[in-house]
Amino acid sequence: MEELVPFEIATCEMTESSQWGSPLAPDPERPFHPFRIQDPFGLRNAVVPVFRQDTNGQLFGFGTAFNIDQFGTFLTAHHVIDFSGENGTSRPVLLLSMHAIVIGSVAIPNDCFVPVTGYQKVMMDSDDPIGALRGSQERKVAVDLAVMQTSPLGSQVRPPQTVSVCINGWRPRVGDILLAVGYPELDFSELSADSQKMLLSEGMYGAYGRIVDVHLNGVGTANPSPVIEVETDWPPGMSGGPVFNRAGDVVGIVSRSIRAEGDLPGRGYAVDLGRAYEVQPFAPSLDAPGWQVCWGLFLEDEFEPFSVHVSEEAAVSAGNLLRQPHRIVKIANKIGTKDYMLI
C-alpha cells in the first residue's frame, strides 16, 4: 500500500499551530493497527474513557466518549452506556483530566470521575406488524449514538477541551483514510487504582483505516445506523470514540468492529454523523466544524461576548448576577475564542 501520511489533530481550544502536537504516526509496518497517542494536554482532554459505576462505587471500563461543546455535552455510541437503564443499579461516569501537572504517582481526585446526569438517544418503531395492530408496538434504538450531559465540574478537574465535529458538507468516499481514537485497554473487569492512573496518563490509542463501503441504511435490521465500513483494527474499548477525517474533524463514532486476525484485515463500522440527521435535535449546539450555537452575554457597549451559555435561561441567570447593563443574544461562537456570528 502507499505510504500513509499521518494526521495532525488539534482541539478547538488549541488555536495556535505552536500548541499542536506531533503528527499522529502509526507503526509503518502495520499502519492500520492501534498505536499509542501521547497528547496529555490536547486530545486527552477532549476524548475520555467511559466507566460503569455501580452503587457501591466500583468502576468497570466500558468505552470512549468525546466532548463537543463548552457546556458539558459528550457523544458516545449508545451501546457503550445502554446498561444505565438497569433499574438504577449503575451509572455512566467519565474520567476527565486533573487540573494540575503531576510528576510521579499521585491519587486521582474524585472530581475527575464525572457522572453523566442524562442522555438522549434516537428511537424508531420496531418491525412488529402484530404489535402495531394491537397498538403495543415496541420501539428500538435507531442510531448507535447517545448525547450525554455531565454534572457540574469540581475544582480539581481540568475543564475538557473540545473536538471539531462535522455534521454537514463532508461525505465518505471509498479509499479515504480515517483515524479513530479511544481507549482499547479498557475491559469489563473492575479497574484498580493503577489502571485508572494508566488510562489518565497514557491509555489513549489511535487506529487508521481505509473506507471500503458506505451503508446508508445500516448493515441489517439489528444495526440500522448509517455507517461507514473501514478496513482497520479497532479494539473493543474504542467503541464510542471519535473518527476523524484528514481535516481534523470528527465525522463518525466507532460503533463496532471485527478484529484483524492473521493475514486477514479487520473491519470497523462507524456511525456516519453526516447522515445521522437525528443527532442535531439532541445536540443543538452543533454548528459548522469548530463552532457552537449558544447564547452570548454582552456588557453594554461591548462588542465581544463577556461569556457564552448553553441556553437563554442560563445567560439570563448569569446576567442577573452582574448587576450592570447587558444584553443577551443568540450567536454562533467559534469554540475557544471570542469570535461569533449573529443567528
Side-chain angles (χ1 to χ4, degrees), residues 66-135:
F66 55 97
N67 187 40
I68 65 170
D69 61 26
Q70 294 180 307
F71 313 118
T73 308
F74 286 77
L75 295 187
T76 189
H78 174 263
H79 77 267
V80 170
I81 60 168
D82 62 1
F83 63 82
S84 60
E86 299 175 355
N87 302 318
T89 57
S90 59
R91 63 179 181 177
V93 172
L94 309 182
L95 174 57
L96 273 57
S97 297
M98 296 185 206
H99 202 346
I101 297 176
V102 176
I103 298 175
S105 180
V106 299
I108 297 176
N110 289 333
D111 282 354
C112 291
F113 298 96
V114 180
V116 172
T117 57
Y119 73 93
Q120 289 82 39
K121 57 187 177 182
V122 182
M123 302 296 291
M124 64 182 293
D125 291 332
S126 62
D127 186 14
D128 180 12
I130 302 300
L133 289 173
R134 293 175 177 172

Side-chain angles (χ1 to χ4, degrees), residues 52 60-62 186-190:
R52 187 192 84 207
F60 300 83
F62 259 72
L186 286 171
D187 57 33
F188 297 132
S189 61
E190 183 182 358

Side-chain angles (χ1 to χ4, degrees), residues 101-297:
I101 297 176
V102 176
I103 298 175
S105 180
V106 299
I108 297 176
N110 289 333
D111 282 354
C112 291
F113 298 96
V114 180
V116 172
T117 57
Y119 73 93
Q120 289 82 39
K121 57 187 177 182
V122 182
M123 302 296 291
M124 64 182 293
D125 291 332
S126 62
D127 186 14
D128 180 12
I130 302 300
L133 289 173
R134 293 175 177 172
S136 59
Q137 189 174 23
E138 294 185 358
R139 293 176 63 77
K140 64 180 182 180
V141 174
V143 180
D144 190 16
L145 176 152
V147 182
M148 303 182 293
Q149 295 77 43
T150 62
S151 61
L153 302 183
S155 60
Q156 293 180 293
V157 63
R158 183 189 300 272
Q161 294 187 32
T162 315
V163 290
S164 172
V165 178
C166 182
I167 56 173
N168 290 303
W170 181 87
R171 286 290 182 262
R173 297 180 302 175
V174 172
D176 284 352
I177 301 297
L178 300 177
L179 169 66
V181 174
Y183 293 86
E185 293 178 337
L186 286 171
D187 57 33
F188 297 132
S189 61
E190 183 182 358
L191 281 113
S192 66
D194 287 341
S195 58
Q196 292 169 18
K197 293 174 185 175
M198 179 276 299
L199 289 170
L200 190 68
S201 61
E202 54 186 30
M204 176 182 288
Y205 282 72
Y208 288 96
R210 180 189 293 109
I211 297 177
V212 295
D213 206 345
V214 179
H215 305 275
L216 302 183
N217 299 307
V219 288
T221 57
N223 187 21
S225 305
V227 293
I228 305 166
E229 183 177 350
V230 183
E231 178 187 338
T232 187
D233 186 21
W234 291 343
M238 296 182 79
S239 290
V243 179
F244 294 90
N245 64 10
R246 185 168 293 282
D249 298 326
V250 177
V251 295
I253 299 175
V254 176
S255 179
R256 63 190 185 93
S257 61
I258 302 171
R259 295 300 307 271
E261 186 174 349
D263 294 331
L264 298 176
R267 283 290 187 272
Y269 297 87
V271 173
D272 183 354
L273 288 176
R275 292 188 172 92
Y277 305 114
E278 302 88 346
V279 64
Q280 195 155 25
F282 294 132
S285 67
L286 285 177
D287 197 57
W291 292 71
Q292 59 189 359
V293 174
C294 55
W295 293 85
L297 172 61

